[in-house]
Amino acid sequence: MPPTAGQKDREDILRAHHAYLGAMTEGDTPSLDGLLDDGFTLTHMTGYVQRKAEWLTEMDAGQFVYHSIDEVDTALDLDGDTARLTVRTLTDAKVYGSRADWRLLLTTDYGRRDGTWIPLRTVATTW
């Protein structure tokens, strides 16, 4: 039995999410640039809202190095052409020279653009 439209959207969003996290851990900023919306912002756990271009530039400079991102659990709310994916992670990262393990709650808003689900913004907090 083929998946319903809602099931397909969920699968597509999770596929986009895993590509996003994979590109982060690989330090693949060209892929991230293509995966993320042009207006994408990342709100760090400090509250700082960083635009995509600045974040990717800092990743390229080694200011953000993601060694691993392990998902603990996920929740997805889907509403038409928008979705919110909330993921609790255990993240091993080096940020501005300091490496640590963080329990991050990543809340990512997705929008559908020409049939493709794209991350619009992520807010990182702790749990």
Side-chain angles (χ1 to χ4, degrees), residues 86-97:
T86 305
V87 183
R88 287 191 313 150
T89 70
L90 300 174
T91 300
D92 174 6
K94 183 174 78 172
V95 178
Y96 298 119

Side-chain angles (χ1 to χ4, degrees), residues 5-66:
Q7 288 171 325
K8 181 171 179 349
D9 285 336
R10 289 178 184 281
E11 290 169 5
D12 289 347
I13 291 164
L14 290 174
R15 191 174 305 108
H17 165 70
H18 290 126
Y20 170 21
L21 295 188
M24 286 174 64
T25 59
E26 292 169 13
D28 186 353
T29 56
S31 288
L32 279 171
D33 190 36
L35 290 168
L36 304 173
D37 187 69
D38 288 341
F40 178 86
T41 60
L42 170 62
T43 303
H44 295 276
M45 59 186 191
T46 61
Y48 179 66
V49 179
Q50 191 170 40
R51 294 192 177 282
K52 175 175 85 168
E54 180 186 1
W55 180 47
L56 298 182
T57 297
E58 289 194 345
M59 282 184 68
D60 282 336
Q63 298 301 316
F64 291 93
V65 179
Y66 301 93

Side-chain angles (χ1 to χ4, degrees), residues 48-117:
Y48 179 66
V49 179
Q50 191 170 40
R51 294 192 177 282
K52 175 175 85 168
E54 180 186 1
W55 180 47
L56 298 182
T57 297
E58 289 194 345
M59 282 184 68
D60 282 336
Q63 298 301 316
F64 291 93
V65 179
Y66 301 93
H67 298 283
S68 66
I69 304 171
D70 297 319
E71 296 179 50
V72 175
D73 62 38
T74 63
L76 178 60
D77 294 315
L78 183 59
D79 184 16
D81 287 337
T82 63
R84 176 165 285 171
L85 181 65
T86 305
V87 183
R88 287 191 313 150
T89 70
L90 300 174
T91 300
D92 174 6
K94 183 174 78 172
V95 178
Y96 298 119
S98 296
R99 186 170 177 175
D101 294 316
W102 282 283
R103 293 172 169 257
L104 294 181
L105 179 68
L106 303 176
T107 303
T108 303
D109 291 334
Y110 282 81
R112 189 177 358 222
R113 303 280 193 270
D114 298 323
T116 301
W117 287 99

